[in-house]
Amino acid sequence: MKAEQKEVKMELRGETEVVLKRYFAAPRQLVFDCHTKPELMRRWLIGPEGMALETLENDLRPGGKYLYVYADSKGNKAGVYGEFREVIVPEKVANTENYAMDMSAFNPNAPEDPNATVESRLFETEGNGTLMTHVCKYASAEVRKMMLESGAGPDGMEVCCQLLDKLLLELA
Amino acid sequence: MNSLDSTFAALADPTRRAILMRLARGEATVMNLAKPFKMSQPAISQHLKVLAEAGLISTTIRAQERPRRLETAPLKKAIDWIEKYRQMWEKRYKMLDGLLEELQTIQTQGDQK
């Protein structure tokens, strides 16, 4: 397997989606487990600079909820949470994605934001490895644009990357 | 609006990106910039205003001409910021690569027993 296959590749699809692809040199079941089993997720899902993964709850079934909380040394916390929509072991996981910037005001039982991002991860066997396709689908083109303009949330940043990659290629 | 926001807002429009591409080849007048687009000069001027406010272009005053030029500093800032984020995902996936390798080694050893 070539090294460049292991690079994260990002693209825009349609009006509302951002697609991220990454190859892993391991069988599909193993890659799937690493994305869904808390004890394995803890081993690699490191936080943003200076933040560590504190809470990792995953109720992996359609309708089940998940919550990941990152904390820094000063006690600042930020969370990612949502609900699983589709679970096909070891092939696909789809879920809603929300961000909680203020964990003290976080209510796990609050009704879900209808504009929540829906993300899905598809795992396909390719050669001796696995190709992961991660799709983030925003509620509308406006939401995607807003994510881009505000830079809020990791997925918005991916849109920016895509635009800038393209721009840089053309500028180079 | 902070500068990063205005940089991305400015880059979100294909016409404005095209203008930046053109300016990357060298400075140009508003007339020349308007040429490739089926657009009125006021419409182009509006785009130039957004780019100027984001600090992505500057205006040189020379006789009757007002050529615009590309300013790369805000772009650099945006790229640095994005690169940091991309690196975080790369870092995570590299750790995952290591974990996958370890898990496969354990599995292979188990199979051999």
Side-chain angles (χ1 to χ4, degrees):
Chain A
M1 202 218 36
K2 289 176 203 134
E4 62 261 31
Q5 273 184 284
K6 280 194 178 179
E7 265 171 35
V8 176
K9 294 204 177 72
M10 289 179 273
E11 60 174 273
L12 297 182
R13 188 192 285 167
E15 294 280 298
T16 60
E17 295 179 0
V18 180
V19 184
L20 186 147
K21 290 184 183 207
R22 176 65 153 76
Y23 181 88
F24 298 98
R28 183 163 78 157
Q29 180 73 54
L30 213 50
V31 180
F32 184 90
D33 286 350
C34 284
H35 277 86
T36 51
K37 291 188 173 169
E39 72 274 18
L40 292 174
M41 291 170 78
R42 279 188 179 280
R43 301 274 301 272
W44 69 273
L45 206 61
I46 49 172
E49 199 77 55
M51 293 191 105
L53 192 58
E54 189 189 72
T55 304
L56 206 170
E57 290 164 14
N58 238 2
D59 183 10
L60 190 72
R61 58 183 174 84
K65 291 187 175 178
Y66 72 90
L67 170 67
Y68 313 149
V69 180
Y70 290 96
D72 70 9
S73 56
K74 288 178 193 146
N76 296 314
K77 289 179 185 183
V80 185
Y81 65 98
E83 195 179 285
F84 290 107
R85 290 268 178 95
E86 200 182 346
V87 179
I88 308 168
V89 183
E91 194 182 315
K92 194 183 173 187
V93 180
N95 54 267
T96 57
E97 189 189 53
N98 306 271
Y99 299 100
M101 294 306 168
D102 180 5
M103 287 312 291
S104 60
F106 173 68
N107 173 7
N109 298 314
E112 185 132 50
D113 178 0
N115 285 327
T117 301
V118 178
E119 61 167 354
S120 68
R121 286 183 175 87
L122 180 72
F123 301 92
E124 293 169 297
T125 298
E126 199 176 283
N128 294 323
T130 305
L131 180 70
M132 183 193 69
T133 306
H134 181 184
V135 180
C136 291
K137 190 174 168 51
Y138 297 100
S140 67
E142 280 66 42
V143 174
R144 187 174 79 174
K145 191 163 176 280
M146 195 185 76
M147 294 294 275
L148 160 68
E149 287 179 4
S150 67
D155 304 313
M157 299 179 205
E158 279 158 18
V159 186
C160 302
C161 285
Q162 229 289 319
L163 284 173
L164 280 168
D165 278 350
K166 225 170 128 186
L167 180 65
L168 289 171
L169 271 178
E170 288 174 64
L171 287 175
Chain B
M1 229 201 252
N2 75 37
S3 66
L4 212 51
D5 287 350
S6 57
T7 303
F8 288 130
L11 289 174
D13 182 274
T15 305
R16 290 197 288 269
R17 290 200 297 276
I19 291 171
L20 291 178
M21 305 305 169
R22 169 63 191 86
L23 290 175
R25 302 204 311 266
E27 53 179 48
T29 60
V30 179
M31 277 287 280
N32 284 330
L33 287 172
K35 261 184 203 162
F37 304 102
K38 289 192 180 84
M39 223 180 261
S40 67
Q41 208 169 308
I44 290 292
S45 296
Q46 188 54 41
H47 284 307
L48 291 174
K49 191 171 160 245
V50 175
L51 289 169
E53 278 168 6
L56 287 163
I57 60 169
S58 61
T59 307
T60 320
I61 298 175
R62 188 195 301 149
Q64 282 89 8
E65 289 188 338
R66 299 278 185 278
R68 305 303 207 269
R69 57 179 293 181
L70 181 68
E71 294 295 332
T72 51
L75 213 50
K76 172 85 170 64
K77 212 176 138 196
I79 292 159
D80 287 350
W81 177 72
I82 272 163
E83 184 51 24
K84 216 174 143 192
Y85 182 75
R86 203 188 63 83
Q87 277 171 6
M88 186 190 83
W89 272 103
E90 277 296 351
K91 229 153 97 185
R92 283 179 171 177
Y93 286 144
K94 283 209 176 104
M95 285 184 80
L96 178 53
D97 286 338
L99 175 61
L100 286 166
E101 220 168 280
E102 188 189 318
L103 292 171
Q104 287 185 96
T105 310
I106 294 167
Q107 235 170 35
T108 314
Q109 283 168 350
D111 291 346
Q112 281 166 352
K113 270 174 199 167

